[in-house]
Amino acid sequence: MASSESASKREGERSNMTEEELKIPVARAHFSSRLSIILTCLGTVVGTGNIWRFPRIVANNGEDKGGLVFLLVWVLFLFLWSIPMLLVEYGTGRYTQRGVIVSFRQFMSDKFAWCGAWICMVTFMIAAFYSVVLGWCFYFFVYYCANSLPETAEESRKIFKDYAEDSYWPVLTHAIAVILAGLAVTKGVKTIEKVSMVLVPLFLFIILFTFVWSLTRDYADYGLTFLFTPDWESFGKPRVWVDALSQNAFDTGAGMGIMIPYSSFMTRNNGIVRYGTMVPATNNVISLIAAMTIFSTVFSTLITTRTWMTQDQIVDILKDSGPASTGLTFIWIPVLFQTVGTFGHVLCVFFFLCLSFAGLTSLISNIEQMTLTLDDFGLSRKFSMPLTVLLIYLMGLMSALNIDILTNQDFVWGFALVISGLMLQAMVIYYGVSNFRAIVVNDFGIDDWKLPRVWEYLVKFVAPVEAVLLIVWWAIDLISNETQEGEDKWYEFGRETFMVTIVQWIGLMLILIAVNMVISCVCQGKSPGDRALLLTSAAIPEPDFSSTTVKKSLEIRL
């Protein structure tokens, strides 16, 4: 009886909807081809994290024996975390045709909009220091075009220190990075896909060229042997699991919400299950190629030029994070390429050009997320894009002026992606995991792979347990590890401490919840507007409201 009354009420609400409420007001632009979708999505996830961060993380988790165990756990999380989370993002954006915050309002309710805001803010905070690192890539590309490569690590460190720590050049290069990325989103998907069609093939070519060259070097096999040698005891170390998940999330962008705005430019004819599976898998292959390139280059060069070095000493160089994790990329790579001669100089320039292209395509997606979010709230793109660029620049100024702040921001917000993943899982569980798989993905898509039922168990049970356990392990690891002399204790406000992380997380969360509550109270009783219908005219030009799928969708939303 209650069910019948509820259905009648919903039917009445549907009949009272105006035609305008059943359609999105402005027609959306969409990707022009499948190739542009693949290259744009690939450019989003392939960035400096693959080339700059991944090899060092592998080395640090390989101890002195090898990195195979970390690679196995890392691949495991690709299927248990990254792909399931990215399929949520792809499905959400394509279905709602909106940004992150509005999507949370539609799938949940206005009072949970702060969850979407958290995802946006974490991505915003990452973009603020990421653009500073991208500025470093620009600088070193230009610098080594005009200057000779350093012969020693000490000389290389001085070059980096003179630029990044003892000058104001990072303020300018940071500005160049955000402005270039902002210009690429000026007209939304139209300019984004044009930039991606040029930059992505170029940096993929550079990566593959450098990879092939590295394998031809003498003693390159020593580096590959270390990379693929197992240290089975590592399976029992929490740090391996924490780093594997956070690195996979950082690599693929899982949990950042950046695929929601990009997939909002897709139609139901675009196979999101195919893209959501193949793009992150390809991204991991590129990360592995980057690691093989770096390990081969480091081992072959040092064995040839510094015959007195042991394997442990070579691995220590791979582990060298340097200030703000710059050790291997910005300090050692120029030194290693210098030993090759003139051709090495050319390779070094190409290396930093590749980093610049990869970082730029990733930063573009971060800026587009914030820009589309402001668009959703009524601010036209000609204002939302400059405002986003300005806010990211101002927030990133602290990291540009103080490298310790950049180190802190990388530490705090990189792992916050796990919490962002929890938010996405909560959204799907609230809406109904089966409904999301059936309606949002399978029934809504045309000529796509079917999302299997196992995905439901991953999102509903496996992924939340993973996230909670890893957060607990991460906290215990930070608190229980003995602090070396001169380093900050876990309860102090240091660069990379438990306390400084928790305070920033809780502070942001409380602010977002408070703002959400105020806005909900002010807007209470007003028409839900864009929540009237999730199926939009952009995704389905002329919806057939007599179809079973659309009827079922309307009932669930209302």
Side-chain angles (χ1 to χ4, degrees), residues 501-547:
T501 305
I502 291 298
V503 168
Q504 290 186 63
W505 285 356
I506 294 177
L508 175 62
M509 201 169 291
L510 291 176
I511 291 172
L512 294 177
I513 292 173
V515 171
N516 195 167
M517 290 176 63
V518 171
I519 293 176
S520 296
C521 291
V522 171
C523 298
Q524 190 173 9
K526 293 185 178 181
S527 172
D530 60 1
R531 282 188 293 137
L533 182 62
L534 286 180
L535 296 176
T536 65
S537 57
I540 306 178
E542 294 183 6
D544 178 11
F545 293 102
S546 64
S547 71

Side-chain angles (χ1 to χ4, degrees), residues 477-496:
D477 188 47
L478 282 180
I479 293 172
S480 62
N481 278 353
E482 293 184 7
T483 306
Q484 296 180 8
E485 186 177 353
E487 291 186 358
D488 300 306
K489 296 179 173 58
W490 70 267
Y491 51 82
E492 295 177 338
F493 287 90
R495 288 189 314 174
E496 299 176 285

Side-chain angles (χ1 to χ4, degrees), residues 345-356:
H345 196 157
V346 174
L347 285 174
C348 186
V349 170
F350 272 122
F351 177 80
F352 283 108
L353 180 63
C354 178
L355 274 180
S356 299

